[in-house]
Amino acid sequence: MKITFIAADGTTTPVEAAEGESIMRAAVQNDVDGVIGECGGSMMCATCHCYVDEAWADTVGQQEDGESDLLDCAASEVKPTSRLSCQIRMRPELDGVVIHLPESQL
């Protein structure tokens, strides 16, 4: 399954991800600049903050419990489509998802 990451400067990075894999893990394993994933996906930080492309927001779904609390600590602006990428797991309907990255994670 494909994920397209778009950096704050507009650079695009397409990566492949397996079903069930988190978007954060796919980014880290493919050295995508702009996703740190400091806590390894245990929802203890906000260094995997991302913006789901508006065209994909409904398909991706709402924030998981506790996400909004951590997003309050995010280094970049929190928007309505903000998510922690560690909490978004790839599933067939997300094939081709577009993820925008904030200017900074720290």
Side-chain angles (χ1 to χ4, degrees):
M1 288 182 265
K2 183 179 174 185
I3 305 167
T4 299
F5 292 94
I6 303 176
D9 69 2
T11 303
T12 62
T13 306
V15 303
E16 291 292 323
E19 185 171 348
E21 183 174 29
S22 74
I23 288 178
M24 182 274 304
R25 175 91 38 225
V28 170
Q29 288 177 343
N30 288 281
D31 298 320
V32 174
D33 285 337
V35 178
I36 298 170
E38 192 170 89
C39 73
S42 59
M43 208 166 78
M44 301 281 293
C45 70
T47 62
C48 68
H49 176 209
C50 69
Y51 307 116
V52 176
D53 190 89
E54 290 199 17
W56 287 90
D58 287 339
T59 306
V60 169
Q62 298 295 314
Q63 295 176 359
E64 300 292 323
D65 288 342
E67 267 188 83
S68 62
D69 293 338
L70 285 172
L71 286 168
D72 286 343
C73 302
S76 294
E77 176 188 3
V78 176
K79 300 178 181 181
T81 60
S82 286
R83 292 290 309 270
L84 296 177
S85 59
C86 68
Q87 298 302 300
I88 306 169
R89 299 236 173 244
M90 290 302 293
R91 53 191 196 274
E93 60 268 25
L94 293 183
D95 187 19
V97 68
V98 177
I99 301 294
H100 299 268
L101 300 173
E103 288 186 31
S104 175
Q105 295 287 10
L106 299 173

